Amino acid sequence: QHALSSGVRRYHVAPVLCQRAKVAMSHFEPNEYINYEKLEKNINIVRKRLDRPLTLSEKIVYGHLDDPAKQEIERGKTYLRLRPDRVAMQDATAQMAMLQFISSGLPKVAVPSTIHCDHLIEAQLGGEKDLRRAKDINQEVYNFLATAGAKYGVGFWKPGSGIIHQIILENYSYPGVMLIGTDSHTPNGGGLGGICIGVGGADAVDVMAGIPWELKCPKVIGVKLTGKLSGWTSPKDVILKVAGILTVKGGTGAIIEYHGPGVDSISCTGMATICNMGAEIGATTSIFPYNARMKKYLGKTGRADIAALADEFKQHLVPDSGCQYDQVIEINLSELKPHINGPFTPDLAHPVSDIGAVAEKEGWPVDIRVGLIGSCTNSSYEDMGRSAAVAKQALAHGLKCKSKFTITPGSEQIRATIERDGYAEILREVGGLVLANACGPCIGQWDRKDIKKGEKNTIVTSYNRNFTGRNDANPETHAFVTSPEIVTALSIAGTLKFNPETDYLTGADGKKFKLEAPDADELPKLEFDPGQDTYQYPPKDGSGQHVDVSPTSQRLQLLEPFDKWDGKDLEDMLILIKVKGKCTTDHISAAGPWLKFRGHLDNISNNLLIGAINIENGKANSVRNALTQEFGPVPDTARYYKKMGVKWAVIGDENYGEGSSREHAALEPRHLGGRVIITKSFARIHETNLKKQGLLPLTFADPADYNKIHPVDKLSIVGLKDFAPGKPLKCIIKHPNGSQETIMLNHTFNESQIEWFQAGSALNRMKELQQKSS
């Protein structure tokens, strides 16, 4: 009926519409259907209002508007109220998301939702042994997530299933979907033409509660691809190049939309790789237009019915001719060379041909200690095939890896299929260790034994992030990010000074040979082997299910509401820390061994800002206690201030909170008495997370005012009684000598977000509204 009333297409056979209306979103939710008719209706309403061609991003985002007829739409300015199709959560963030959902008092999720156990499995001895160990160590958490999923209608992917984003690509993403996930690499699903956005747990709770979800209307950056990928150049090199162009904050507030004739030379999983690592440039998400490569992947993963439906609605799954982008970048794939980015930041881009010389000049170790392939970014069948193709050549000449070498399959389906097709055995023969289907070293879950902490060394990975200490907690590990096939080639050579396009290796027979560019199938010739069944369906009625959280648990803790705003200005706040330079969510709330406390707010708060550099002394986790004048750890100082009833603030630099979506980086300062975070600029997800928890994320109207605030000053935020969208706030700086100066602070709060602050948190506000409506 929606399609008929739109006037765009007119079908004369009613059964066709009926059939289209019954295509399920996934095999696991046979009664939840794709609704392209609603998407089309909303797009047509907005198109008529805006009277201009639309980008693909605009079509899908505006197609999910709660009120397309009245919603104010202006790129980069207005806040959109959206109705996403589904939610996905990984186990580390799902704990806090489900604890918040429990606290909301709602009986069941309003949209299809899933939990994926991938972050808590530590790489140590190998796949099966590490998985058994993780199940034993994390039994309490896994039980909580499984029973909470059963009670509230959430599907549960057991440990060993694989990495959340690979499973979403295989089962849940589809062209035109809007999916939000509690992980910053959720944009991986853009490889299948979906708008998939990483968020904090509180945002996920909004969607699961059936509340319209707010997102600032994104700008759209177009990346036009021409030419064709070939040789050693891979999809990973596209995003490594883009990261070098845009930097870690260049995509903030924007969707990256790839288009142009070069798109068709990239596989579906290759497009997912590019979208996945768009998180490293701060983008809201990334997306590719629906094409034959996506159709092929949908068919191979058992979703030919979705592809057939997408074919019928394809005009809404590609950009309009003549649509306008806010910025356009053009990349000729035929000229693009293999890249390697790092160390310490994912936007420091180098051609592989140059990295050896650059490393020697900069004093970076050129000998590679470990090469690691896999992760949510690069663990597809094609990735493993291209790596195996390189390894096979080395084996034919009697060579194995000089560096240690690990392989992480992206999912149980990938693991089972590469075992069946011989790729896994080739990678083992060349010296590789196949790890569990999980995040592992990419998220810091790596029990590394080959070096000591503080030892300067180099690793190369096919991961996405390489912040200081991220993979192994060693600040002297120089991590470089590149494609799986380049990782494999460099691991065989054992040095950054090797360029597989031009350099020769010496075989066991003493003869020199050159590796040929790898060639591998993008999808298996046979069907995928699904491997073990690792999915737990939620029961139709979970009301009788008991969710156990022990009051003495060290891993889980029920949440208490945060205090409401008292109606007064924030006066004489102390400065907990003035941060110098890069401060990611890894610096604010470290991962690795701290992941085990993700469900216990008080315990995990002991890692608050321990990685941030204090401008006062140039040290990490050492700040002055303004009340005692003694230096000590950041969390201890924050707890002391809280005990004494003193409010405090954090001063930050550029792009504060870049990296992972972890809302613990917002929950922890709120829990320990923080009220305000003042920076030169914020990363999108972290700024939203701070607002959700009742904190004030503010930016200097003049970035140079960062230099006016000193760690020993006191701050007062004035004007909160008249807090309004677009209206700056005053900050009075009180120096120890008694002098004062006033600076202006900007914010991006809209009216509903101001209500979050006043209520103490977005969750508090939700409960207030529920009480009013009841």
Side-chain angles (χ1 to χ4, degrees):
Q1 288 176 347
H2 287 161
L4 290 171
S5 64
S6 70
V8 176
R9 293 193 309 277
R10 297 194 178 278
Y11 299 107
H12 301 288
V13 182
V16 174
L17 276 177
C18 181
Q19 182 181 8
R20 286 187 180 124
K22 294 296 182 182
V23 174
M25 284 189 192
S26 80
H27 299 307
F28 299 101
E29 295 133 359
N31 297 318
E32 299 285 351
Y33 306 114
I34 295 173
N35 194 345
Y36 280 147
E37 284 86 359
K38 182 179 179 182
L39 184 76
E40 178 178 68
K41 179 181 178 181
N42 286 1
I43 290 171
N44 289 335
I45 292 170
V46 172
R47 189 194 302 280
K48 186 175 180 180
R49 288 181 55 202
L50 299 182
D51 192 28
R52 61 172 173 78
L54 300 177
T55 67
L56 171 59
S57 309
E58 290 181 304
K59 288 182 179 182
I60 302 178
V61 172
Y62 303 161
H64 286 83
L65 286 170
D66 182 50
D67 187 355
K70 297 179 181 178
Q71 171 71 60
E72 187 179 358
I73 299 172
E74 186 175 358
R75 285 188 198 168
K77 293 188 177 180
T78 57
Y79 278 86
L80 307 178
R81 290 165 61 84
L82 300 163
R83 293 283 185 177
D85 297 302
R86 63 181 310 120
V87 171
M89 299 166 280
Q90 41 95 336
D91 51 355
T93 51
Q95 295 171 65
M96 198 56 67
M98 292 308 297
L99 286 165
Q100 289 178 85
F101 188 82
I102 291 169
S103 182
S104 76
L106 295 169
K108 191 174 182 180
V109 296
V111 301
S113 303
T114 51
I115 294 169
H116 305 259
C117 295
D118 62 357
H119 272 58
L120 300 179
I121 302 169
E122 185 179 51
Q124 192 180 66
L125 301 173
E128 291 184 10
K129 293 178 180 178
D130 292 346
L131 180 58
R132 284 198 301 270
R133 180 170 173 265
K135 287 180 177 178
D136 180 53
I137 292 172
N138 302 309
Q139 182 179 9
E140 179 186 17
V141 171
Y142 292 148
N143 179 64
F144 165 73
L145 293 173
T147 54
K151 184 172 183 65
Y152 297 105
V154 179
F156 180 69
W157 287 86
K158 301 173 186 177
S161 302
I163 305 172
I164 176 174
H165 310 302
Q166 182 67 30
I167 292 175
I168 288 172
L169 200 72
E170 292 172 353
N171 299 284
Y172 296 117
S173 186
Y174 60 83
V177 70
M178 176 172 275
L179 179 152
I180 71 165
T182 60
D183 189 279
S184 57
H185 292 104
T186 301
N188 191 80
L192 256 179
I195 289 290
C196 303
I197 302 176
V199 299
D203 275 353
V205 171
D206 279 355
V207 180
M208 292 191 291
I211 296 172
W213 173 61
E214 289 191 347
L215 175 72
K216 182 177 277 191
C217 187
K219 294 183 178 181
V220 187
I221 297 174
V223 179
K224 184 178 181 180
L225 302 178
T226 60
K228 184 179 181 180
L229 284 178
S230 63
W232 283 93
T233 307
S234 72
K236 186 66 164 281
D237 298 306
V238 176
I239 186 58
L240 294 176
K241 178 71 172 179
V242 171
I245 294 169
L246 288 177
T247 77
V248 290
K249 63 176 183 176
T252 303
I255 293 176
I256 312 298
E257 184 171 313
Y258 294 86
H259 63 283
V263 166
D264 292 334
S265 74
I266 305 174
S267 66
C268 178
T269 52
M271 289 187 270
T273 291
I274 294 168
C275 291
N276 176 293
M277 202 175 153
E280 271 50 74
I281 55 176
T284 300
T285 192
S286 302
I287 191 170
F288 278 83
Y290 177 60
N291 67 1
R293 306 297 280 266
M294 294 184 191
K295 182 176 182 177
K296 185 177 180 181
Y297 184 80
L298 285 167
K300 186 61 77 170
T301 52
R303 295 174 287 170
D305 53 346
I306 294 179
L309 188 64
D311 284 342
E312 294 296 327
F313 286 84
K314 186 173 181 179
Q315 63 175 312
H316 302 303
L317 305 173
V318 296
D320 287 341
S321 177
C323 67
Q324 296 296 308
Y325 297 101
D326 294 284
Q327 178 183 350
V328 176
I329 296 167
E330 187 165 337
I331 296 176
N332 185 339
L333 300 178
S334 300
E335 298 175 355
L336 183 64
K337 288 294 186 179
H339 272 62
I340 182 167
N341 288 20
F344 306 126
T345 184
D347 60 348
L348 187 56
H350 321 271
V352 170
S353 57
D354 296 346
I355 189 62
V358 173
E360 286 191 321
K361 179 182 177 183
E362 297 293 335
W364 303 332
V366 295
D367 292 337
I368 297 168
R369 298 295 290 267
V370 190
L372 306 99
I373 66 170
S375 84
C376 64
T377 315
N378 277 114
S379 56
S380 68
Y381 184 82
E382 181 183 34
D383 289 328
M384 296 297 162
R386 285 174 68 87
S387 293
V390 175
K392 192 173 182 179
Q393 294 179 62
L395 290 169
H397 289 84
L399 295 187
K400 292 191 176 186
C401 290
K402 288 186 178 178
S403 311
K404 290 182 179 292
F405 186 49
T406 70
I407 303 98
T408 306
S411 68
E412 170 62 9
Q413 179 167 276
I414 294 295
R415 183 208 62 77
T417 307
I418 66 171
E419 288 286 0
R420 181 196 69 193
D421 294 352
Y423 291 166
E425 186 56 33
I426 291 171
L427 294 171
R428 286 192 193 96
E429 285 181 17
V430 84
L433 174 67
V434 179
L435 302 173
N437 314 322
C439 300
C442 183
I443 192 60
Q445 288 282 38
W446 185 14
D447 185 20
R448 190 177 180 189
K449 301 293 190 184
D450 64 299
I451 61 161
K452 295 179 180 179
K453 190 168 183 178
E455 183 180 344
K456 198 172 180 180
N457 74 104
T458 283
I459 64 173
V460 292
T461 81
S462 69
Y463 302 165
N464 40 54
R465 292 197 174 125
N466 54 354
F467 303 138
T468 303
R470 178 178 173 88
N471 302 126
D472 61 1
N474 179 15
E476 290 299 326
T477 292
H478 294 56
F480 295 85
V481 178
T482 186
S483 67
E485 52 265 48
I486 294 293
V487 171
T488 307
L490 293 179
S491 298
I492 292 165
T495 175
L496 288 176
K497 297 170 70 174
F498 178 72
N499 177 11
E501 288 191 302
T502 58
D503 295 345
Y504 287 79
L505 295 168
T506 302
D509 58 3
K511 295 181 180 179
K512 292 188 177 296
F513 72 98
K514 194 169 81 167
L515 294 169
E516 298 297 325
D519 185 30
D521 295 329
E522 65 180 281
L523 294 165
K525 291 183 171 63
L526 302 174
E527 297 305 310
F528 275 109
D529 184 338
Q532 298 180 37
D533 182 6
T534 55
Y535 180 72
Q536 172 185 293
Y537 288 86
K540 290 183 179 180
D541 181 8
S543 58
Q545 175 70 54
H546 179 66
V547 181
D548 185 29
V549 178
S550 169
T552 60
S553 173
Q554 295 301 303
R555 298 286 303 267
L556 298 164
Q557 181 186 46
L558 293 174
L559 297 174
E560 295 291 335
F562 290 131
D563 60 307
K564 291 183 65 171
W565 175 56
D566 61 9
K568 300 177 183 178
D569 289 337
L570 295 169
E571 297 182 346
D572 292 333
M573 291 181 294
L574 299 178
I575 296 171
L576 177 66
I577 183 173
K578 182 178 179 182
V579 177
K580 178 183 178 181
K582 184 186 284 284
C583 189
T584 71
T585 49
D586 281 80
H587 293 87
I588 304 168
S589 176
W594 291 96
L595 285 171
K596 62 178 173 286
F597 296 126
R598 284 285 182 87
H600 197 292
L601 180 54
D602 194 57
N603 281 347
I604 199 169
S605 292
N606 289 322
N607 76 1
L608 174 64
L609 286 159
I610 61 175
I613 301 301
N614 179 12
I615 199 169
E616 186 175 6
N617 57 12
K619 296 181 180 180
N621 201 26
S622 175
V623 294
R624 183 194 300 273
N625 184 321
L627 301 181
T628 68
Q629 296 305 309
E630 296 177 355
F631 278 84
V634 183
D636 293 359
T637 307
R639 287 186 185 278
Y640 186 85
Y641 291 164
K642 181 179 181 180
K643 179 182 177 182
M644 302 304 292
V646 176
K647 297 179 175 66
W648 51 263
V650 170
I651 309 301
D653 213 316
E654 293 277 7
N655 206 33
Y656 183 89
E658 71 172 273
S660 297
S661 68
R662 64 192 68 157
E663 67 178 342
H664 297 77
L667 283 159
E668 291 174 33
R670 183 72 165 98
H671 175 63
L672 295 186
R675 308 304 295 195
V676 180
I677 313 292
I678 306 173
T679 72
K680 293 180 182 178
S681 63
F682 285 99
R684 174 191 64 86
I685 300 177
H686 186 58
E687 182 180 23
T688 301
N689 286 345
L690 291 168
K691 293 177 183 178
K692 286 278 185 177
Q693 303 307 332
L695 282 144
L696 279 177
L698 306 172
T699 56
F700 296 103
D702 179 358
D705 287 345
Y706 168 87
N707 298 316
K708 293 181 179 179
I709 298 178
H710 305 287
V712 292
D713 293 336
K714 291 184 179 180
L715 306 179
S716 294
I717 305 299
V718 178
L720 290 176
K721 291 181 180 179
D722 300 317
F723 195 15
K727 185 177 181 180
L729 293 168
K730 289 182 180 179
C731 176
I732 299 174
I733 307 169
K734 297 180 181 179
H735 301 301
N737 62 7
S739 64
Q740 296 186 9
E741 55 187 314
T742 300
I743 61 173
M744 301 305 295
L745 301 174
N746 293 330
H747 64 85
T748 60
F749 281 79
N750 62 18
E751 290 181 359
S752 62
Q753 293 169 350
I754 290 173
E755 291 176 356
W756 300 345
F757 168 72
Q758 293 169 339
S761 71
L763 184 58
N764 288 1
R765 182 58 178 159
M766 179 199 298
K767 292 161 82 169
E768 285 180 356
L769 294 173
Q770 286 174 353
Q771 290 169 358
K772 285 183 179 179
S773 65
S774 62

